Amino acid sequence: MKPFRFQQFFIQQNKNVFRVGTDGVLLGALCSLSSPKNILEVGTGSGLISLMLAQRESSAKILAIDINSEAIELAGINFKNSPFSDRLEIKFQDFKNFESDEKFDLIVCNPPFFEENNSDKDILARQQVELNFDNLIEKSSRFFSSDGIFSVIIPSFSADEFVDLAMEYQLNLVRKVNIFGIEGGSLKRNVLEFSLASKDVEILDFTIEKSPRNYSEQYLQLTKDFHVFGK
């Protein structure tokens, strides 16, 4: 498959690993960064989000894990070929069995969001076969630091369920980004961020396109340091 070119790195792609998509770009660009030293990405796929975070935060060390061996190989290549290779680590790991003595200042994930079904398309990346919301939240609650952030992007129809599950593990919603595909259209996605500390919830609205195939000023500004946009 054709590589996807960003301003500071390339993403080699593979038909058996989830490709570069808008959700990953949005999470990589929108998630909160407060000078994190240690970042964990769960389910890295091609490595896109980890690479974006490495570009955004020059002092952060990032551990990316995935259960798909082809994703591990692909992300490893993308990490090695990037200018951030010395701060990126890739590990073949099932998050349900993940253990670490280290706490993370940011845990980030673009999780599988469909219930298990008969489709054979991107099964590990899209369907909750190996990792469901409860697994993800429970494990993440163990590994982020006292002032750390847990950040995900999910379809809006799952947002209330996700927030309720997080509350069961004493995780407090602190930021919610409402993502609309097109101006005047319906709500499509949410970036949800949680912390151990309770605080007022920051709520933002974000629109990807102002008209079909015409990016909004919000999206252009958000991604101006990443997308090439004809450069």
Coordinates of all heavy atoms in Angstrom, one line a residue, residues 206 208 215-225 229:
F206 N -16.2 20.5 17.9 CA -15.2 20.5 16.8 C -15.8 19.9 15.5 O -16.5 18.9 15.5 CB -14.0 19.6 17.2 CG -12.8 19.6 16.2 CD1 -11.8 20.5 16.4 CD2 -12.8 18.8 15.1 CE1 -10.8 20.6 15.5 CE2 -11.8 18.8 14.2 CZ -10.7 19.7 14.4
I208 N -15.1 18.8 11.5 CA -14.1 18.4 10.5 C -14.2 19.1 9.2 O -13.2 19.7 8.7 CB -14.1 16.9 10.3 CG1 -13.9 16.2 11.6 CG2 -13.0 16.5 9.3 CD1 -14.1 14.7 11.6
Y215 N -12.3 21.1 4.2 CA -12.0 21.1 5.7 C -12.4 22.4 6.3 O -12.2 23.5 5.8 CB -10.5 20.8 5.9 CG -10.1 19.4 5.7 CD1 -9.1 19.1 4.8 CD2 -10.7 18.3 6.4 CE1 -8.7 17.8 4.6 CE2 -10.3 17.0 6.2 CZ -9.3 16.7 5.3 OH -8.9 15.4 5.1
S216 N -12.8 22.3 7.6 CA -13.1 23.5 8.4 C -11.8 24.2 8.8 O -10.7 23.6 8.8 CB -13.9 23.1 9.6 OG -13.1 22.4 10.5
E217 N -11.9 25.4 9.2 CA -10.8 26.2 9.7 C -10.2 25.5 11.0 O -9.0 25.5 11.2 CB -11.1 27.6 10.0 CG -9.9 28.5 10.3 CD -8.9 28.5 9.2 OE1 -9.3 28.4 8.0 OE2 -7.7 28.6 9.5
Q218 N -11.2 25.0 11.8 CA -10.7 24.2 13.0 C -9.8 23.1 12.7 O -8.8 22.9 13.3 CB -12.0 23.7 13.7 CG -12.6 24.6 14.8 CD -13.7 23.9 15.5 OE1 -14.6 23.3 14.9 NE2 -13.7 23.9 16.8
Y219 N -10.2 22.3 11.7 CA -9.4 21.1 11.3 C -8.1 21.5 10.7 O -7.0 21.0 11.0 CB -10.2 20.2 10.4 CG -9.5 18.9 10.1 CD1 -9.6 17.8 11.0 CD2 -8.6 18.8 9.0 CE1 -8.9 16.6 10.7 CE2 -8.0 17.6 8.7 CZ -8.1 16.5 9.6 OH -7.5 15.3 9.4
L220 N -8.1 22.5 9.9 CA -6.9 23.0 9.3 C -5.9 23.5 10.3 O -4.7 23.3 10.2 CB -7.2 24.1 8.2 CG -7.9 23.6 7.0 CD1 -8.3 24.9 6.1 CD2 -7.1 22.7 6.1
Q221 N -6.4 24.3 11.3 CA -5.5 24.8 12.3 C -5.0 23.7 13.2 O -3.8 23.7 13.6 CB -6.3 25.8 13.2 CG -6.3 27.2 12.6 CD -5.0 27.8 12.6 OE1 -4.5 28.1 11.5 NE2 -4.3 28.0 13.7
L222 N -5.8 22.7 13.5 CA -5.4 21.6 14.4 C -4.3 20.8 13.8 O -3.4 20.4 14.5 CB -6.6 20.7 14.7 CG -6.4 19.5 15.6 CD1 -6.2 19.9 17.0 CD2 -7.5 18.5 15.5
T223 N -4.4 20.6 12.5 CA -3.5 19.6 11.9 C -2.4 20.3 11.0 O -1.7 19.7 10.3 CB -4.3 18.7 11.0 OG1 -5.0 19.4 9.9 CG2 -5.3 17.9 11.8
K224 N -2.3 21.6 11.2 CA -1.3 22.4 10.3 C 0.1 21.9 10.5 O 0.9 22.1 9.5 CB -1.5 23.9 10.6 CG -1.1 24.3 12.0 CD -1.3 25.8 12.1 CE -1.1 26.3 13.5 NZ 0.3 26.1 14.0
D225 N 0.5 21.4 11.6 CA 1.9 20.9 11.8 C 2.1 19.4 11.4 O 3.2 18.9 11.5 CB 2.3 21.1 13.3 CG 2.4 22.5 13.7 OD1 2.7 23.4 12.8 OD2 2.1 22.8 14.8
F229 N -1.1 18.9 3.1 CA -2.0 19.8 2.4 C -1.4 20.5 1.2 O -1.4 21.7 1.0 CB -2.5 20.9 3.4 CG -3.4 20.4 4.4 CD1 -3.2 20.7 5.7 CD2 -4.5 19.6 4.1 CE1 -4.1 20.2 6.7 CE2 -5.4 19.1 5.1 CZ -5.1 19.4 6.4

